[in-house]
Amino acid sequence: MSALPPLNRRDGRPTLAIVGATGAVGTVMLDILSTRTDVWGDIRLIASPRSAGKKLRVRGEELEVVALSEEAFEGVDIAMFDVPDEVSAQWAPVAAAKGAVAVDNSGAFRMDADVPLVVPEVNPDQAKNRPRGIISNPNCTTLSMIVALGALHREYTLRELVVSSYQAASGAGQPGVDALREQIAKVAGDTTLGTQAGDVRRVIGDTGPFPAPLALNVVPWAGSLKDGGWSSEELKVRNESRKILGLPGLRVNATCVRVPVVTTHSLTVHAVFESEVDQARAQAVLAEAPGVVLCDDPANYEFPTPADVVGTDPTWVGRVRRSLDDPNALDLFLCGDNLRKGAALNTAQIAELVAEEFTER
Ligand SMILES: NC(=O)c1ccc[n+]([C@@H]2O[C@H](COP(=O)([O-])OP(=O)(O)OC[C@H]3O[C@@H](n4cnc5c(N)ncnc54)[C@H](OP(=O)(O)O)[C@@H]3O)[C@@H](O)[C@H]2O)c1
């Protein structure tokens, strides 16, 4: 194993560790940290022993990746975890025991009552309420809608959500992206496909991490099977929305669907509120909300699409309509980059909130 590089505190600024720096989310994280206002002292890159010694660039500097170990958290103030659930479950408490604040992107702690689930635009104060020294980052589907819904909730008070997702392949990590690209290559140029039941499936063969072909198709499934036919992804949307908004009784029905998009989740949301809504006021609330872009001019075919949103930071909202049958309900279409706000960006924002505590000392 390579020796740990020395940490040199810069101007008393906090030291950051990125665990999982070599992964899909970790790679976007390095890019985000290189472009946002730099609040960090030293940065330490951590991954599995397979990646130890590898060199990666962040903030214009080349840094060596070190293997995950207890010593790797020595001198670290804040540790981001962009690793599988089981790795976070084991190692985030180790980082916390070493005195670091762990900000975890996995699903390991999201529903733990002693771990806050934080979206800085919605519930920033919760970042300080961390008895285990761990803060969780919500799942990418919830994150792709919750900033906009939080703004509408502050105006009208949410009562119920009916959500359909149109989720990108990269939500299933790098293997998901690789599988979609391979499938697209297999079907490209064949002008007969998509006309007979099973013809796409026969050409594609192995469907990779998806339970059905994704190219030329949509697949009504993401995650694992839970009671009553619900998928784990659908339950995450329900449980995490309730926790972030502090609404344990919020009624939520979600149907999660995978679509042949590389990155950027889209959602339709039917949101029911305690008070009567107004289309123009709702549009104004969304236009003013930090982290939200309103793109809503259907007369000129202006609405968000994943192809236009990918690589950007905000939650994009369009098709804002008052329900024809319920004066208390709005219907919306939202898009958010699942690797940026849906994962790395929100984690970076949480870490920056915690970094302020170090700088305030
Ligand atoms: N993809 C998304 O849209 C998304 C969105 C929100 C949250 N998340 C969550 O973010 C986490 C990372 O996802 P990802 O898509 O970036 O996964 P990924 O591409 O598979 O990357 C996994 C990372 O974890 C590291 N790792 C794996 N096993 C390890 C071990 N035993 N010890 C130390 N490091 C280990 C890998 O290091 P090596 O390269 O050395 O193997 C790699 O850096 C997951 O919990 C995921 O659920 C993903």
Side-chain angles (χ1 to χ4, degrees):
M1 192 184 95
S2 335
L4 291 179
L7 291 171
N8 302 308
R9 285 175 179 258
R10 300 180 190 178
D11 312 325
R13 289 193 283 175
T15 295
L16 175 71
I18 304 163
V19 189
T22 51
V25 175
T27 302
V28 175
M29 183 65 79
L30 299 188
D31 175 48
I32 283 176
L33 291 173
S34 303
T35 50
R36 287 179 72 79
T37 303
D38 186 13
V39 301
W40 302 107
D42 264 14
I43 292 184
R44 176 169 285 170
L45 306 184
I46 303 175
S48 79
R50 297 179 288 276
S51 304
K54 200 172 169 180
K55 301 255 173 45
L56 296 175
R57 285 191 84 77
V58 59
R59 302 187 299 189
E61 252 178 276
E62 199 163 74
L63 297 182
E64 191 172 312
V65 176
V66 299
L68 181 56
S69 69
E70 203 174 322
E71 301 76 63
F73 297 108
E74 215 68 65
V76 168
D77 297 305
I78 299 168
M80 297 172 171
F81 283 79
D82 299 317
V83 291
D85 290 5
E86 64 281 9
V87 181
S88 286
Q90 183 184 348
W91 288 94
V94 173
K98 287 290 237 179
V101 177
V103 184
D104 182 36
N105 218 329
S106 84
F109 301 99
R110 286 184 190 137
M111 296 316 295
D112 184 322
D114 290 328
V115 174
L117 187 62
V118 174
V119 181
E121 296 88 343
V122 182
N123 60 347
D125 295 346
Q126 284 300 314
K128 287 192 171 149
N129 178 19
R130 43 172 200 261
R132 295 188 65 182
I134 302 171
I135 301 171
S136 262
N137 191 64
N139 112 303
C140 49
T141 312
T142 310
L143 266 175
S144 299
M145 64 175 195
I146 205 73
V147 177
L149 294 178
L152 292 170
H153 172 58
R154 286 192 292 278
E155 182 76 10
Y156 297 123
T157 309
L158 263 173
R159 191 201 299 164
E160 182 174 351
L161 295 172
V162 181
V163 177
S164 288
S165 74
Y166 307 76
Q167 296 183 217
S170 63
Q174 196 55 43
V177 176
D178 295 343
L180 176 59
R181 291 203 188 280
E182 276 167 31
Q183 292 183 18
I184 289 172
K186 283 183 181 169
V187 300
D190 187 335
T191 53
T192 66
L193 284 177
T195 56
Q196 302 283 326
D199 60 357
V200 172
R201 197 180 274 275
R202 271 192 296 280
V203 167
I204 283 175
D206 178 11
T207 56
F210 308 113
L214 192 58
L216 299 180
N217 208 10
V218 295
V219 182
W221 193 254
S224 55
L225 180 62
K226 300 294 174 192
D227 286 352
W230 295 98
S231 73
S232 55
E233 192 82 354
E234 290 157 354
L235 297 187
K236 284 178 192 175
V237 170
R238 177 172 185 259
N239 296 333
E240 294 183 21
S241 297
R242 289 173 159 197
K243 184 169 175 178
I244 297 161
L245 295 167
L247 293 173
L250 183 68
R251 294 156 62 98
V252 183
N253 283 284
T255 302
C256 289
V257 180
R258 193 79 69 182
V259 294
V261 165
V262 175
T263 295
T264 293
H265 290 348
S266 305
L267 303 105
T268 58
V269 176
H270 176 78
V272 185
F273 299 90
E274 294 294 346
S275 52
E276 196 166 318
V277 298
D278 172 79
Q279 183 193 31
R281 178 69 197 139
Q283 287 167 321
V285 165
L286 292 166
E288 287 159 18
V292 177
V293 173
L294 180 75
C295 174
D296 193 14
D297 183 6
N300 290 304
Y301 300 128
E302 282 190 13
F303 27 69
T305 72
D308 298 317
V309 161
V310 62
T312 67
D313 286 345
T315 302
W316 294 70
V317 191
R319 306 295 326 279
V320 179
R321 289 149 289 156
R322 188 167 99 145
S323 168
L324 293 175
D325 299 314
D326 182 351
N328 287 27
L330 287 167
D331 284 272
L332 318 161
F333 183 77
L334 304 101
C335 291
D337 185 318
N338 51 296
L339 295 178
R340 292 185 74 88
K341 184 62 183 174
L345 174 63
N346 199 67
T347 307
Q349 290 174 302
I350 297 171
E352 286 166 9
L353 278 181
V354 181
E356 281 172 19
E357 297 172 27
F358 285 80
T359 328
E360 280 162 10
R361 276 178 193 172

